Amino acid sequence: MSFKSFTDYLLLEKNYSVLTVNAYQNDLEGFLEFVKSEYETAHIKKVNYAQVRSWIVQLVENGLSNRSINRKVSALNTYYKFLLKIGTIETNPLAKHKALKTSKKIQVPFSEKEVTMALDDFNFENDFEGIRDKLVIELFYSTGIRRIELVDLKLTSVNLDNKTLKVLGKRNKERIVPLLESVLQTLKKYLIARNELECITDKNHLFLTKKGVKIYETLVYRIINEYFSLASTKVKKSPHILRHSFATHLLNQGADLNAVKELLGHSSLAATQVYTHNSIAELKKVHVNTHPRSKK
C-alpha cells in the first residue's frame, strides 16, 4: 500500500519537515503490518476503532511510553483526516479517541555558571573541529536554535554585515535572529578554518565534518554532551536543554515573553510558556529577598 499522496500532502501543503513525514510513514506502515497479521486485512481504510485499540494495547505491552504511543496514534489520525478530506472515507475511526495520559517532562536547564564553564573554562582546540564545536555551543546558547535548524544552516544563512542569521524553522517558516559580537568572532574564525579544509564535498551548508560533508544530528548531540559532561552533572545534556537554557536565562533577566517566542520560532505563546516555570522560581526568590515585609 502506498502513502505517497498523503506524504506529498504533508510535505507540500502542510509544510512538514522530511524528518516528520518519514516518522509518520513509518508509524502508518507499522500499523498496516499489525492489521495484516492480526486481522488479515491490507486496507487501513476499512479498519474500525476496536482494531486500533488492539494495536494500542500491543504497543503498551511492548513497553512503549504513553507519549510515544500518542505520537503514533496522532500520525494515524492525521492520515484518517486526510482520507476524509479527499472523500475516500466517510467516518474517522479515531474521531472520539482520547490520548493516553502522560506526565509532563520537567526540562532542567543548565545554569549560567555551567554554560560559562563549558564555553570559557575549557580550552577548545585551535583547529577546525575545536573552533566548530565552540561555535555550535555558542549558537545554541545565543540564538535558541533547534538542532535540525543548525544542521540545515547554509553559508547564505549568515549575514555578517547585519550581524544576523536566517533560520528555516518548522513548516518552512523563516526567522531572522541577531548574532552577538562574541559569536561573530568565533563564526569568522570558523569560516576561515572551513575554507582551509583539504576536501569540501558540501559547498552549501555552514557546518561540516572534518571530511567536508554536512554535519549530522548525532554528531551535534555528541558535541553538546561531551563538553557539558565536563561542566554539568545533570542527567540530560543535549541541544534541546541548551535551547531551554537560552529561553530560561533570557526570561530570568526580564526578557519579554513575546520576544523570546519570536527568537525561538514558536507559532504560539503557549509553546513558549513552558519555559517560564524557572523564571517564576527566580521571581519568587527576588520577591522574598527584597520585599519589605518578607522578613516579618
PDB file of all heavy atoms in Angstrom, residues 21 69 168 181 227 255:
ATOM      1  N   VAL A  21       7.698  13.712   8.216  1.00  0.00           N
ATOM      2  CA  VAL A  21       6.944  12.916   7.233  1.00  0.00           C
ATOM      3  C   VAL A  21       7.422  11.465   7.236  1.00  0.00           C
ATOM      4  O   VAL A  21       6.613  10.532   7.176  1.00  0.00           O
ATOM      5  CB  VAL A  21       7.066  13.536   5.828  1.00  0.00           C
ATOM      6  CG1 VAL A  21       6.451  12.619   4.780  1.00  0.00           C
ATOM      7  CG2 VAL A  21       6.391  14.906   5.791  1.00  0.00           C
ATOM      8  N   ILE A  69       3.270   6.340  22.144  1.00  0.00           N
ATOM      9  CA  ILE A  69       2.031   5.770  21.594  1.00  0.00           C
ATOM     10  C   ILE A  69       1.126   6.882  21.067  1.00  0.00           C
ATOM     11  O   ILE A  69       0.565   6.779  19.975  1.00  0.00           O
ATOM     12  CB  ILE A  69       1.304   4.923  22.655  1.00  0.00           C
ATOM     13  CG1 ILE A  69       2.139   3.677  22.999  1.00  0.00           C
ATOM     14  CG2 ILE A  69      -0.093   4.516  22.171  1.00  0.00           C
ATOM     15  CD1 ILE A  69       1.650   2.903  24.199  1.00  0.00           C
ATOM     16  N   LEU A 168      15.663  28.557   9.058  1.00  0.00           N
ATOM     17  CA  LEU A 168      14.473  27.925   8.486  1.00  0.00           C
ATOM     18  C   LEU A 168      13.899  26.977   9.526  1.00  0.00           C
ATOM     19  O   LEU A 168      14.480  25.938   9.825  1.00  0.00           O
ATOM     20  CB  LEU A 168      14.830  27.168   7.203  1.00  0.00           C
ATOM     21  CG  LEU A 168      13.653  26.620   6.389  1.00  0.00           C
ATOM     22  CD1 LEU A 168      12.758  27.747   5.893  1.00  0.00           C
ATOM     23  CD2 LEU A 168      14.161  25.793   5.217  1.00  0.00           C
ATOM     24  N   GLU A 181      28.294  39.791  19.282  1.00  0.00           N
ATOM     25  CA  GLU A 181      29.624  40.099  18.772  1.00  0.00           C
ATOM     26  C   GLU A 181      30.597  38.955  19.032  1.00  0.00           C
ATOM     27  O   GLU A 181      31.422  38.604  18.172  1.00  0.00           O
ATOM     28  CB  GLU A 181      30.141  41.389  19.419  1.00  0.00           C
ATOM     29  CG  GLU A 181      31.368  41.968  18.746  1.00  0.00           C
ATOM     30  CD  GLU A 181      31.139  42.347  17.285  1.00  0.00           C
ATOM     31  OE1 GLU A 181      30.083  42.929  16.969  1.00  0.00           O
ATOM     32  OE2 GLU A 181      32.035  42.021  16.457  1.00  0.00           O
ATOM     33  N   TYR A 227      31.059  18.301  25.929  1.00  0.00           N
ATOM     34  CA  TYR A 227      31.535  19.483  26.646  1.00  0.00           C
ATOM     35  C   TYR A 227      30.755  19.732  27.933  1.00  0.00           C
ATOM     36  O   TYR A 227      31.331  20.143  28.944  1.00  0.00           O
ATOM     37  CB  TYR A 227      31.480  20.716  25.731  1.00  0.00           C
ATOM     38  CG  TYR A 227      32.589  20.715  24.707  1.00  0.00           C
ATOM     39  CD1 TYR A 227      32.358  20.258  23.405  1.00  0.00           C
ATOM     40  CD2 TYR A 227      33.876  21.123  25.034  1.00  0.00           C
ATOM     41  CE1 TYR A 227      33.376  20.232  22.464  1.00  0.00           C
ATOM     42  CE2 TYR A 227      34.905  21.086  24.092  1.00  0.00           C
ATOM     43  CZ  TYR A 227      34.646  20.648  22.814  1.00  0.00           C
ATOM     44  OH  TYR A 227      35.656  20.612  21.888  1.00  0.00           O
ATOM     45  N   ALA A 255      13.459  39.397  30.025  1.00  0.00           N
ATOM     46  CA  ALA A 255      13.092  39.493  28.607  1.00  0.00           C
ATOM     47  C   ALA A 255      11.584  39.326  28.423  1.00  0.00           C
ATOM     48  O   ALA A 255      10.929  38.584  29.168  1.00  0.00           O
ATOM     49  CB  ALA A 255      13.834  38.434  27.799  1.00  0.00           C
TER      50      ALA A 255
END
